[in-house]
Amino acid sequence: MTSTTDPDRRSPGGQSAVVVGGGLAGITSALALADAGVRVTLLEGRPRLGGAAFSFRRSSPAGELTIDNGQHVYLRCCTGYGWFLDRIGAGHLAPLQDRLDVPVLDVGRSTPRLGRLRRTALPVPLHLAATLATYPHLSPIERAAVGRAALALKSLDPYDPALDTLNFGDWLRRKGQSARAIEAVWDVVAVATLNARSAQCSLGLATMVFKTGLLTEPGHADIGIPRVPLGELHDTRARATLEAAGVDIELRSRVTGLDRGPDGRWDVRVETAPHAGTRLTADTVVLALPQQDAHALLPAGALDDPGRLLKIGTAPILNLHVIYDRPVLRRPFFVAIGSPVQWVFDRSDTSGLPAGTGQYLAVSQSAAHDDIDQPVSRLRERYLPELARLLPAARGATVRDFFVTRERTATFAPAPGVGRLRPPAPTNAPGLFLAGAWTATGWPATMESAVRSGLSAAGAALSELGRPHRSPLREAV
């Protein structure tokens, strides 16, 4: 990078952009800007790309493994993330189910029972009628009530700002949903997609999730699961794609300040290990950072009420990683109810666990406020017996390794009122834009929201620069 005493770094002619942050939002912004002919520099403080969805290496008694910090999935309706996978040449590495099929295991009663949430090829809402009619975790009266609530939800507009102020859990109870129905149906989806239970969710965001995923097109909720580590997608392949597009990637580079010069261009002050006191100058800057970090860099007047960024709450996700000496789960994943365990995934092949040496399960615990700071020993004492209760084959198995990854601020909290706090991509400052899953995408804090935010920021920047562009998104609603 250029030192503060050197001239600004700029190529002859053309327009330049600096994207701050190398998560999905920043990667997407950088790609969209570069694809439109803008010279782009991407700055990331960490030694890798991928933001909050990344992998790391771990030496385990089972061997050297590649571990994802958390289990990430997407849905067929996530057209933004689908575009991203295609853009980096990795669509085949995160295949979608042919049809939605979620095994739901209830161990809260005397006899464990397995049910399934799955769809048929019939049109909405008939595509879910068969699974609802036979779902063993609800009584006939509860099943009928769920159907009526789903039809009522289908009539709501997720973009109606009035819904943002209402509580989804309260709405469900007014629609006759029992505590059992909320646990066995609504929270199975809400916890995984919103990182909160229904009682903590905005009705607007819940409507977006359920209407888009389950009540618009039959296949919208089909689940896609990466079959390679996240680092292969969000770092290795994303980096190669960015470089091929001409993006200059600067890792271990932390932005310390932004100033707009008298010529209208932005001066970006950067600390780059092991050097200090460097800068870049650009026509456009995209801040693709967590909301607290973006707030710290915003120049005066960039937002009418910058303090609202600090009012956006956060929610944690805890992941428990368990390696057994033998296979204990025959399915790729399942959901548990009547247990503190939520979603369980087989990560053996993805991690590189040698064949015949056991099985590696990842237990994904969303909205994990009560457990996020518990010591590993206590988590082990609580969850290993639960896994043995859920999986009879685990009762005689030896645990070869047990470890934990914690994301204390994994997502923004989807609480009622959060919509009015989420800013759009453009700021009041010409040439300065915001990106991140927490911005006003209309979606909850998912990989989809991050990608959409990056495309929105790049689109707004290109419009201001006078460059023709077209959004690659195919809207799901």
Side-chain angles (χ1 to χ4, degrees):
M1 286 190 182
T2 311
S3 71
T4 52
T5 58
D6 290 336
D8 299 335
R9 182 174 72 182
R10 68 175 84 175
S11 300
Q15 294 160 316
S16 60
V18 168
V19 177
V20 185
L24 288 175
I27 294 169
T28 303
S29 283
L31 280 174
L33 289 165
D35 287 347
V38 178
R39 290 174 291 105
V40 182
T41 299
L42 176 62
L43 303 175
E44 168 55 53
R46 288 167 283 207
R48 56 159 179 83
L49 300 180
F54 65 94
S55 305
F56 60 93
R57 297 288 288 172
R58 176 181 171 88
S59 295
S60 164
E64 190 76 12
L65 303 179
T66 302
I67 307 297
D68 287 351
N69 69 311
Q71 179 65 51
H72 289 70
V73 304
Y74 72 109
L75 305 180
R76 194 181 297 276
C77 64
C78 296
T79 56
Y81 188 68
W83 169 86
F84 171 81
L85 289 175
D86 290 341
R87 182 65 181 82
I88 65 172
H92 63 292
L93 298 178
L96 288 153
Q97 293 175 319
D98 292 333
R99 291 185 183 178
L100 172 70
D101 188 356
V102 179
V104 183
L105 181 60
D106 177 19
V107 292
R109 299 183 177 184
S110 56
T111 303
R113 298 188 72 182
L114 179 67
R116 306 186 89 91
L117 293 173
R118 50 188 171 186
R119 73 168 179 92
T120 67
L122 293 173
V124 173
L126 298 177
H127 67 312
L128 297 174
T131 193
L132 188 58
T134 59
Y135 193 53
H137 305 320
L138 299 180
S139 70
I141 292 175
E142 288 170 324
R143 295 173 201 158
V146 168
R148 289 192 297 271
L151 291 176
L153 195 66
K154 190 176 187 298
S155 69
L156 299 180
D157 177 5
Y159 298 102
D160 180 353
L163 300 188
D164 175 55
T165 65
L166 303 178
N167 182 288
F168 182 45
D170 291 344
W171 184 89
L172 287 174
R173 285 187 288 274
R174 290 197 300 271
K175 296 301 177 182
Q177 302 305 287
S178 66
R180 176 66 176 175
I182 291 173
E183 176 193 25
V185 175
W186 302 103
D187 277 354
V188 166
V189 178
V191 165
T193 57
L194 291 157
N195 196 20
R197 300 192 183 278
S198 300
Q200 287 80 48
C201 292
S202 149
L203 178 57
L205 282 173
T207 300
M208 167 60 77
V209 166
F210 284 93
K211 186 170 182 176
T212 305
L214 293 170
L215 301 170
T216 304
E217 292 290 337
H220 272 181
D222 300 343
I223 297 173
I225 302 178
R227 62 187 186 195
V228 297
L230 291 173
E232 169 68 17
L233 302 176
H234 302 159
D235 185 15
T236 304
R237 286 179 174 259
R239 193 184 311 193
T241 304
L242 287 163
E243 290 171 347
V247 176
D248 183 11
I249 303 169
E250 302 281 0
L251 301 177
R252 297 184 175 88
S253 298
R254 186 174 64 88
V255 174
T256 59
L258 299 174
D259 297 294
R260 190 162 180 260
D263 62 353
R265 305 182 80 234
W266 287 93
D267 185 76
V268 184
R269 300 191 300 277
V270 187
E271 297 284 345
T272 303
H275 308 294
T278 59
R279 77 179 185 194
L280 291 172
T281 301
D283 300 292
T284 292
V285 173
V286 176
L287 292 181
L289 297 168
Q291 60 266 32
Q292 300 91 341
D293 297 334
H295 175 271
L297 289 175
L298 284 174
L303 292 181
D304 291 336
D305 180 14
R308 74 180 195 253
L309 271 59
L310 301 181
K311 297 176 183 176
I312 300 174
T314 59
I317 297 178
L318 175 74
N319 279 268
L320 314 172
H321 306 264
V322 189
I323 300 177
Y324 292 96
D325 67 342
R326 68 194 71 176
V328 299
L329 174 63
R330 295 190 301 271
R331 299 178 178 85
F333 69 94
F334 73 93
V335 184
I337 59 176
S339 166
V341 170
Q342 295 175 11
W343 289 67
V344 181
F345 296 83
D346 179 4
R347 302 287 301 171
S348 304
D349 292 342
T350 306
S351 69
L353 184 72
T357 63
Q359 189 173 35
Y360 163 24
L361 301 184
V363 183
S364 183
Q365 299 291 107
S366 298
H369 300 83
D370 294 338
D371 282 340
I372 193 66
D373 291 317
Q374 292 293 328
V376 173
S377 59
R378 187 166 299 176
L379 294 170
R380 183 183 179 114
E381 291 172 0
R382 183 183 190 196
Y383 283 97
L384 286 182
E386 282 297 316
L387 288 172
R389 194 160 71 100
L390 289 158
L391 302 170
R395 295 167 194 170
T398 298
V399 175
R400 302 184 67 189
D401 200 5
F402 181 99
F403 57 98
V404 174
T405 51
R406 310 172 198 259
E407 296 293 332
R408 291 178 172 81
T409 57
T411 70
F412 71 81
V418 71
R420 62 181 175 79
L421 302 176
R422 301 171 69 183
T427 69
N428 296 334
L432 181 62
F433 303 89
L434 301 175
W438 52 274
T439 59
T441 66
W443 287 68
T446 55
M447 296 189 297
E448 176 70 7
S449 185
V451 169
R452 283 173 175 264
S453 77
L455 292 173
S456 293
L462 291 169
S463 293
E464 189 174 274
L465 292 171
R467 286 186 174 260
H469 64 282
R470 184 176 64 181
S471 173
L473 287 182
R474 294 173 290 103
E475 288 302 328
V477 289

